[in-house]
Amino acid sequence: MSSADRKAKKKEELKALILEASMKLFVEKGIEQTTIRNIADAIDYSIGTVYIYFKDKNAIFHALHTQCFAELGVQFRVLYDLNDPMERLKAMGKLYIQYAMDNPDKYDLMFSLKAPMEFLNDTQANEWEEGTASFEVLRTVVQECIMAGHFKGHRLEPLSYLIWGCVHGLCSLEIRARTKGVLLKNPDTIVADGYDEFLKLLDKQ
Amino acid sequence: MSSADRKAKKKEELKALILEASMKLFVEKGIEQTTIRNIADAIDYSIGTVYIYFKDKNAIFHALHTQCFAELGVQFRVLYDLNDPMERLKAMGKLYIQYAMDNPDKYDLMFSLKAPMEFLNDTQANEWEEGTASFEVLRTVVQECIMAGHFKGHRLEPLSYLIWGCVHGLCSLEIRARTKGVLLKNPDTIVADGYDEFLKLLDKQ
DNA sequence: CAAATAAAATGAACATTGTTCATTTTTCCA
DNA sequence: TGGAAAAATGAACAATGTTCATTTTATTTG
């Protein structure tokens, strides 16, 4: 291994170390309590060093958001065991909600927080790769459902967006604390119960 | 009018003045750019004065969020002209989405931002009145739909939450910039198109 | 009307934040 | 071994929410 290679590897390792510490702090304390100083402290480096490896706080959180999409992708792998597209679609929604409820802050980072999108704006990216890839997975399943005779009279892309919107809405209202305080009869199961109603709707298609 | 009354009235007026300036700044520049200093400047008072009338920034934004619910409530009044509950439900969703698209920051404040809910936490309130009242309106319409023979086999409260979640999800993904960058065929109309698909689902019920 | 009291308004000061950059330290090769 | 390149440092800056001793204004009382 050449000297340059060793140096590049070390840089990558430190970058990974920063992300590891950031993720830990983020999951433990949320995005606002994850400060550059906290991160620097956690890895025993100075503030300035963090800025050598990441342009700013948004860049760190964009990298974390990318890791979360990879994590969700791993959990989605079991879906390929399901041959019936309709069953796959239903299971996908269930897994999506499960991930959101198990990892509310990570979900928030992926689908609500501004940091990752601001990073894309700053870097003049006109595509959100993680979003595009995920939506493509969903659209493909819906497409298969349509080809299997479901969703007559529906349009592929708007229908896919509706399905995404439904599961996202159920999760988002819960995570953003809009179900707490509404005096629901079963607040603890409202997200799962809501999804059950969605499945009933789909069953009639 | 007694002296005490005059004083109380003046206090209310200044409170309203603070809210008016806050709302203007918030709609123009967003929540992060609406600083206590900006508000104080806008009404020609000092920073400290703002803190006499509101406990903290969260208190201001909770008050603004309440005003937004009142505003949406006014727009919902036309719904009472519709006798068919299913038509009323559909129109309600359309109005809800319209409000969100016309007032993205206000919608964000009502259903996504943490400030109003943090205020409730701080004041040890265990009810979110605006949310309870709004959900009650929705649940009532859904109840009427059920009584009119729709949504056979569905449960009232979870179904109502699902419907709320659907329209919220469509709006939230758009407002939180998750549709931009996903390379949709019709990004400009995706929210309306998604809702159209939802209406098609409902029509089959 | 004048003095005393209460209420309201002030803004300097504090702790925290993200961020920058001149300086110091370390690394590495000739 | 010396010097250049790279990496790391942390003081400093501007901006934020918030507090509170002080000042100003309003009100009441003798």
Side-chain angles (χ1 to χ4, degrees):
Chain A
M1 182 187 283
S2 79
S3 163
D5 284 346
R6 233 178 302 124
K7 198 188 290 179
K9 196 187 166 194
K10 216 176 168 188
K11 284 196 80 164
E12 281 310 305
E13 280 172 359
L14 187 42
K15 207 166 176 178
L17 186 67
I18 292 171
L19 288 182
E20 195 185 336
S22 303
M23 185 70 93
K24 191 159 180 280
L25 287 167
F26 171 64
V27 169
E28 277 172 6
K29 303 169 177 259
I31 193 166
E32 272 127 36
Q33 307 306 319
T34 304
T35 68
I36 306 292
R37 280 166 186 80
N38 283 348
I39 296 168
D41 278 358
I43 60 174
D44 272 313
Y45 276 88
S46 71
I47 302 161
T49 301
V50 177
Y51 277 91
I52 293 170
Y53 292 86
F54 291 94
K55 191 182 132 284
D56 55 20
K57 210 184 167 185
N58 284 342
I60 295 174
F61 280 95
H62 176 267
L64 293 185
H65 124 288
T66 302
Q67 290 189 344
C68 294
F69 269 96
E71 189 177 54
L72 179 58
V74 168
Q75 304 201 7
F76 270 10
R77 281 190 196 155
V78 300
L79 294 172
Y80 292 101
D81 296 340
L82 301 170
N83 288 319
D84 178 26
M86 207 66 185
E87 289 308 310
R88 198 151 73 246
L89 177 63
K90 291 177 184 178
M92 188 183 289
K94 205 176 171 64
L95 279 177
Y96 184 98
I97 291 172
Q98 191 63 51
Y99 183 82
M101 295 299 99
D102 290 346
N103 311 278
D105 286 298
K106 289 180 179 179
Y107 182 84
D108 221 30
L109 180 61
M110 296 161 81
F111 298 109
S112 292
L113 293 186
K114 301 191 170 167
M117 299 301 121
E118 279 175 359
F119 173 81
L120 292 183
N121 269 348
D122 291 350
T123 55
Q124 273 139 22
N126 52 4
E127 187 189 345
W128 173 35
E129 289 180 34
E130 293 79 5
T132 308
S134 302
F135 190 65
E136 176 60 25
V137 171
L138 171 60
R139 184 166 44 194
T140 301
V141 177
V142 175
Q143 171 77 286
E144 290 180 54
C145 289
I146 290 174
M147 291 193 298
H150 300 282
F151 300 123
K152 286 263 160 58
H154 285 274
R155 288 183 294 166
L156 174 59
E157 196 162 284
L159 175 61
S160 302
Y161 182 64
L162 170 69
I163 293 169
W164 181 20
C166 276
V167 289
H168 168 70
L170 294 173
C171 298
S172 169
L173 288 171
E174 168 76 13
I175 290 173
R176 290 293 175 138
R178 259 60 180 192
T179 59
K180 205 174 64 174
V182 179
L183 312 182
L184 297 170
K185 293 205 177 76
N186 298 299
D188 295 340
T189 58
I190 190 65
V191 176
D193 291 348
Y195 188 60
D196 279 345
E197 298 303 312
F198 185 61
L199 295 183
K200 287 180 200 167
L201 283 187
L202 292 192
D203 275 331
K204 297 176 190 170
Q205 301 307 310
Chain B
M1 183 188 278
S2 81
S3 164
D5 285 346
R6 234 178 302 125
K7 198 189 289 177
K9 196 185 164 194
K10 217 175 166 187
K11 282 196 81 165
E12 282 310 306
E13 281 172 0
L14 187 41
K15 207 166 176 178
L17 186 65
I18 291 171
L19 288 182
E20 195 185 337
S22 304
M23 184 70 93
K24 189 158 181 280
L25 286 167
F26 171 65
V27 169
E28 277 172 6
K29 303 170 179 259
I31 193 166
E32 273 127 34
Q33 307 306 318
T34 305
T35 68
I36 306 292
R37 280 167 184 79
N38 283 348
I39 296 168
D41 278 358
I43 61 174
D44 272 312
Y45 278 87
S46 71
I47 302 162
T49 301
V50 177
Y51 278 92
I52 294 170
Y53 292 86
F54 291 93
K55 191 182 132 282
D56 55 20
K57 210 184 167 184
N58 284 343
I60 295 175
F61 279 96
H62 176 268
L64 293 185
H65 125 287
T66 303
Q67 290 189 344
C68 292
F69 270 95
E71 188 177 56
L72 179 58
V74 168
Q75 303 202 6
F76 270 10
R77 282 189 196 156
V78 299
L79 294 171
Y80 292 101
D81 296 340
L82 301 170
N83 288 317
D84 178 25
M86 206 65 185
E87 287 309 310
R88 198 150 75 246
L89 178 62
K90 291 177 184 178
M92 189 182 289
K94 203 176 171 66
L95 278 178
Y96 184 98
I97 291 172
Q98 190 64 52
Y99 183 81
M101 297 298 100
D102 289 346
N103 311 278
D105 286 297
K106 289 180 180 179
Y107 183 85
D108 221 30
L109 179 61
M110 296 161 79
F111 298 108
S112 292
L113 293 186
K114 301 191 169 165
M117 300 300 121
E118 280 175 358
F119 173 81
L120 293 182
N121 269 347
D122 291 349
T123 56
Q124 274 140 20
N126 53 3
E127 188 190 344
W128 173 36
E129 289 181 35
E130 292 79 6
T132 308
S134 301
F135 189 65
E136 176 61 24
V137 171
L138 172 60
R139 185 167 44 194
T140 302
V141 177
V142 175
Q143 171 76 285
E144 289 180 54
C145 289
I146 291 174
M147 289 193 299
H150 300 280
F151 301 123
K152 286 263 160 58
H154 285 273
R155 289 183 293 166
L156 174 60
E157 195 162 286
L159 175 61
S160 301
Y161 182 63
L162 170 68
I163 293 168
W164 181 20
C166 276
V167 289
H168 168 70
L170 295 174
C171 297
S172 169
L173 289 171
E174 168 76 13
I175 290 172
R176 289 293 174 137
R178 260 59 180 192
T179 58
K180 206 174 62 173
V182 179
L183 312 182
L184 298 169
K185 292 206 179 74
N186 298 300
D188 295 340
T189 58
I190 191 64
V191 175
D193 291 348
Y195 187 62
D196 278 345
E197 299 303 313
F198 185 61
L199 295 184
K200 286 181 199 167
L201 283 187
L202 292 191
D203 274 331
K204 297 175 190 171
Q205 302 305 312

